Amino acid sequence: MTEIETLQKWIDESNKIVFFGGAGVSTESGVPDFRSVDGLYNQKYDYPPEEILSHTFYRRKPEEFYKFYKDKMLFKDVEPNKAHLKLAELEEKGKLSAVVTQNIDGLHQAAGSKKVYELHGSVLRNYCEDCGKFFDMDYILESEGVPKCDKCGGPVKPDVVLYEEGLDTKTMNGALKAIAEADMLIIGGTSLAVYPAAGLIDYYRGNKLVLINMSKTPMDGKADLVIYEKIGQVLSQIEVK
């Protein structure tokens, strides 16, 4: 039985599948991966991306933060790819119970997924730190320098988890519960190097742990099935019954 046939069989047998994904899920839509060879971490700025995208840097140098953020983190014309669409289809057919994602691009929802736990927030949500008013991505892109609230003049912050910031407790708990109750866990497009997100796998109790990634991860030895291919290529071969 081939890897794809095994994956198909397990999906057919399962009704509470959880998908846990990282940057590799969105690279096929044209969103750059932070840690790939040509990703953001290897590009030259006045400061390393890890530093720019930290809470401390956001507070100390908001102009520099937003210069980088608008240029490298916001992608207006990206579309969901085959992976996003297949996962939405699996949910619609009652096979998939939740998507847990490290991505901040909102592409799972754009594809039609309803139950999505965004561990690191979303670039589509922004809020005034003083009065709480909500702003969309266009408001950030169209603003000059540091975005200010059009209601009270306060600073507008993206609803994304920066380095040094904690994950949202409600989101984290929802993701933990979904994974703990899953009868199949598919992990795709993540190096499983970022904690606490990578630690979520430890909550899975089943025997259908699938890893789909272009390169090896520290968790390959724990998986019941490992496929070294692009996530979209793999999931597009799955028939939802």
Side-chain angles (χ1 to χ4, degrees), residues 129-241:
E129 294 193 82
D130 290 346
C131 75
K133 183 176 176 181
F134 171 88
F135 296 94
D136 61 15
M137 185 168 72
D138 286 342
Y139 189 85
I140 303 298
L141 284 168
E142 292 161 10
S143 62
E144 295 282 327
V146 179
K148 300 290 185 196
C149 177
D150 59 6
K151 181 180 174 187
C152 77
V156 176
K157 184 178 187 291
D159 189 13
V160 298
V161 179
L162 301 175
Y163 289 103
E164 305 165 348
E165 294 181 343
L167 302 189
D168 178 72
T169 305
K170 186 178 176 186
T171 303
M172 192 70 171
N173 288 342
L176 288 176
K177 187 171 186 291
I179 289 171
E181 294 174 354
D183 57 7
M184 181 176 183
L185 178 60
I186 303 173
I187 300 171
T190 172
S191 61
L192 294 172
V194 179
Y195 282 82
L200 290 173
I201 303 164
D202 298 335
Y203 290 83
Y204 177 61
R205 297 283 175 262
N207 59 358
K208 296 191 186 85
L209 174 57
V210 181
L211 286 184
I212 306 169
N213 207 43
M214 291 294 288
S215 54
K216 293 186 176 183
T217 80
M219 299 292 177
D220 288 6
K222 289 187 176 182
D224 302 295
L225 176 65
V226 182
I227 303 175
Y228 297 115
E229 281 185 56
K230 288 184 177 178
I231 183 77
Q233 286 178 356
V234 173
L235 291 185
S236 63
Q237 298 177 62
I238 296 300
E239 187 183 337
V240 184
K241 298 167 184 175

Side-chain angles (χ1 to χ4, degrees), residues 26-95:
S26 292
T27 49
E28 291 173 68
S29 290
V31 179
D33 175 2
F34 270 57
R35 290 174 178 79
S36 65
V37 176
D38 55 350
L40 292 185
Y41 277 79
N42 295 285
Q43 297 180 17
K44 295 290 179 279
Y45 280 86
D46 291 341
Y47 306 89
E50 302 100 312
E51 187 180 341
I52 297 173
L53 296 173
S54 69
H55 181 84
T56 301
F57 193 92
Y58 170 77
R59 288 281 174 238
R60 287 181 184 164
K61 297 179 181 287
E63 296 86 2
E64 286 285 325
F65 171 87
Y66 266 110
K67 191 172 147 193
F68 178 90
Y69 183 77
K70 291 178 190 177
D71 185 36
K72 291 293 175 185
M73 304 298 291
L74 302 181
F75 301 93
K76 196 172 176 185
D77 299 320
V78 293
E79 299 285 341
N81 60 51
K82 291 173 183 175
H84 298 109
L85 296 169
K86 185 61 71 173
L87 291 166
E89 186 186 352
L90 282 164
E91 183 186 40
E92 188 186 0
K93 292 287 173 66
K95 303 290 287 178

